[in-house]
Amino acid sequence: MKYCENILETIGHTPLVKLHRVTAGLPCPVFAKVESFNPGNSIKDRMAVRMVEEAEQKGLLKPGGTIIEGTSGNTGMGLALTAVIKGYKCIFTTTDKQSKEKVDILKAVGAEVIVCPTNVLPEDPRSYYSVSARLAREIPNSFYVNQYDNLANRDAHYEQTGPEIWEQTAGKITHLVVATGTGGTITGTGKYLKEQNPDVQIWAVDSYGSLLKKYFDTGEIDMSEVYPYITEGIGEDFVPKNYDMSVIDHFEKVTDKDGAVMARRISKEEGIFVGYSAGSAVAGLLQLKTRLKADDVVVVVFHDHGSRYVGKVYNDQWMMERGFLDVKTVRDVVNGRRNLPLVTISPDDKVSDAIGKMKKFDIEHLPVLQQDELIGAISEGGLFNKLIDQPELKEQPVRNIMQKAFPIVAMDTPIEKLTVYINKENGAVLTQDDSGNYHIVTKYDIIQALGN
């Protein structure tokens, strides 16, 4: 029989997957180290076990103890799984910018989660750093993991992630790209790779609102660089001890929008359901494409799984509210064509009149208007079926064969949402502009808009 003694034995040996569509503009092959294959769905499982086991060896964590940590979610998951197997309790602090899914997942595996404000300094007693440190002082038999300054974090990647990538690329890797936060992944992995080949380039991706790039470039901790940002899991407002900046060759900043949009592209175009930081990492790599050559071999770390961002990055409304999603609306369709008046028909007109208007204006749909009130509609498809069986209907009034009026939607409705209204039975919707004029949007209009 082949089996694992417990879930922790499944950590590591994650696949290296070649990217195709999102990196099509690059001159060299790019591979993703897909860390969502770990049992906790992120790269943080590696260092979580390593930090706990080192604490046990040093006598810092005793049987029945409590693991305490400040986490953006993924480290907490790795620690929680470790705690389940080893019999510890967990208390985690996190920030209010983290997705609800992350908090719910931590609770699902038995952790207590305390949500703290994002927009405070690390030393502020309300910050998730300060709250976790205070709890560790107050709770007997507890261990404060402190992934930021705990060097077992980077040791895990030196011992595991680096050797895996080196072996999987047969030593051909030339560039490692990591969207970095605590510094453990990029420092540990980068250190191992550079020991094998000093020419390997280690590129860090940072977020606007983080001070890491400025510190890397100047050695200065500039708090004016720090401001709230939306990207999760990367960037910092201080410099964790896990960083060894001598290992890193370049820092590149990526906007919140570019990271989110790219995460969605990776999921749709590569079939790899990724988290926010993977989008940032690939977006940063594309910004650096002029530095790459045809014989380079690039590895990008995909830290975690997209399931933790379904309420944010993968939620259209959330993306639109932040201006991250370039969505075409009904207004765009109306503004993008000639401003012709809406062609309508009266319920008392003959069906033959309606047919005549459809031919004259080359249209398929006619709203039925009575004293400026929309009371029904006629469509070419519906007319065809009825006239085949009953040709004499041509002399009947429109009101005898009209269907229900077309639905009216707001001008700012995304065209992707119109599938709720436009279907086999109903071929169009109406909308009203700011002047009160009606406009019609058909299936053909939507196809045209989506094709541009």
Side-chain angles (χ1 to χ4, degrees), residues 162-288:
E164 285 181 28
I165 292 173
W166 185 255
E167 180 183 359
Q168 288 171 318
T169 62
K172 295 179 180 179
I173 180 174
T174 61
H175 295 76
L176 175 72
V177 181
V178 181
T180 187
T182 68
T185 300
I186 195 164
T187 300
T189 309
K191 183 173 185 290
Y192 179 87
L193 293 175
K194 280 189 174 290
E195 286 180 359
Q196 312 315 304
N197 178 4
D199 293 331
V200 173
Q201 292 289 293
I202 309 298
W203 289 351
V205 175
D206 195 16
S207 179
Y208 286 95
S210 163
L211 55 68
L212 292 175
K213 175 173 169 54
K214 178 70 175 287
Y215 179 78
F216 173 81
D217 290 340
T218 68
E220 174 188 358
I221 296 178
D222 184 359
M223 295 308 294
S224 68
E225 291 279 310
V226 177
Y227 55 84
Y229 54 94
I230 298 171
T231 306
E232 297 181 35
I234 72 171
E236 295 295 348
D237 49 9
F238 70 105
V239 181
K241 291 181 181 177
N242 267 293
Y243 277 98
D244 178 354
M245 294 296 182
S246 68
V247 171
I248 302 170
D249 296 288
H250 178 76
F251 256 88
E252 185 75 7
K253 283 199 174 188
V254 170
T255 67
D256 291 328
K257 176 180 178 179
D258 288 347
V261 170
M262 181 54 71
R264 290 167 66 107
R265 281 193 60 197
I266 294 167
S267 297
K268 287 184 177 180
E269 298 177 32
E270 301 290 346
I272 308 173
F273 195 26
V274 298
Y276 209 150
S277 61
S280 298
V282 174
L285 173 63
L286 295 183
Q287 290 173 192
L288 296 167

Side-chain angles (χ1 to χ4, degrees), residues 160-418:
Q160 301 172 30
T161 317
E164 285 181 28
I165 292 173
W166 185 255
E167 180 183 359
Q168 288 171 318
T169 62
K172 295 179 180 179
I173 180 174
T174 61
H175 295 76
L176 175 72
V177 181
V178 181
T180 187
T182 68
T185 300
I186 195 164
T187 300
T189 309
K191 183 173 185 290
Y192 179 87
L193 293 175
K194 280 189 174 290
E195 286 180 359
Q196 312 315 304
N197 178 4
D199 293 331
V200 173
Q201 292 289 293
I202 309 298
W203 289 351
V205 175
D206 195 16
S207 179
Y208 286 95
S210 163
L211 55 68
L212 292 175
K213 175 173 169 54
K214 178 70 175 287
Y215 179 78
F216 173 81
D217 290 340
T218 68
E220 174 188 358
I221 296 178
D222 184 359
M223 295 308 294
S224 68
E225 291 279 310
V226 177
Y227 55 84
Y229 54 94
I230 298 171
T231 306
E232 297 181 35
I234 72 171
E236 295 295 348
D237 49 9
F238 70 105
V239 181
K241 291 181 181 177
N242 267 293
Y243 277 98
D244 178 354
M245 294 296 182
S246 68
V247 171
I248 302 170
D249 296 288
H250 178 76
F251 256 88
E252 185 75 7
K253 283 199 174 188
V254 170
T255 67
D256 291 328
K257 176 180 178 179
D258 288 347
V261 170
M262 181 54 71
R264 290 167 66 107
R265 281 193 60 197
I266 294 167
S267 297
K268 287 184 177 180
E269 298 177 32
E270 301 290 346
I272 308 173
F273 195 26
V274 298
Y276 209 150
S277 61
S280 298
V282 174
L285 173 63
L286 295 183
Q287 290 173 192
L288 296 167
K289 63 182 179 180
T290 57
R291 300 188 179 203
L292 297 170
K293 306 183 301 297
D295 57 352
D296 287 332
V297 174
V298 179
V299 173
V300 184
V301 173
F302 283 4
H303 287 82
D304 65 352
H305 197 260
S307 58
R308 291 177 183 164
Y309 306 87
V310 293
K312 290 189 174 183
V313 172
Y314 295 103
N315 181 291
D316 288 354
Q317 188 63 38
W318 186 89
M319 292 285 286
M320 285 188 285
E321 287 172 357
R322 285 150 187 81
F324 291 177
L325 202 57
D326 297 325
V327 176
K328 290 187 177 180
T329 65
V330 171
R331 188 184 304 276
D332 296 322
V333 174
V334 171
N335 292 341
R337 64 190 183 195
R338 291 179 298 165
N339 190 22
L340 297 174
L342 181 67
V343 180
T344 63
I345 192 80
S346 165
D348 298 319
D349 289 339
K350 292 182 179 181
V351 172
S352 58
D353 296 329
I355 296 172
K357 282 193 173 185
M358 287 179 172
K359 288 181 178 178
K360 178 180 178 180
F361 294 102
D362 191 23
I363 56 178
E364 295 182 9
H365 307 282
L366 276 175
V368 180
L369 205 65
Q370 184 175 45
Q371 296 178 348
D372 297 328
E373 181 184 355
L374 293 162
I375 64 168
I378 286 184
S379 295
E380 189 178 74
L383 271 179
F384 176 80
N385 293 330
K386 291 178 180 178
L387 291 175
I388 286 292
D389 296 331
Q390 304 176 67
E392 66 275 8
L393 287 178
K394 287 192 293 185
E395 301 307 314
Q396 294 288 320
V398 165
R399 68 170 66 252
N400 289 359
I401 67 163
M402 68 183 184
Q403 63 196 62
K404 291 191 300 183
F406 296 129
I408 298 175
V409 301
M411 288 283 274
D412 292 330
T413 304
I415 59 176
E416 288 88 350
K417 301 296 184 185
L418 294 184

Side-chain angles (χ1 to χ4, degrees), residues 2-7 9-10:
K2 293 182 179 180
Y3 67 96
C4 296
E5 188 64 36
N6 60 62
I7 198 66
E9 293 183 2
T10 68

Side-chain angles (χ1 to χ4, degrees), residues 38-50:
N38 286 305
N41 297 135
S42 91
I43 197 169
K44 299 293 188 176
D45 290 358
R46 297 174 181 269
M47 55 83 146
V49 175
R50 181 70 167 75

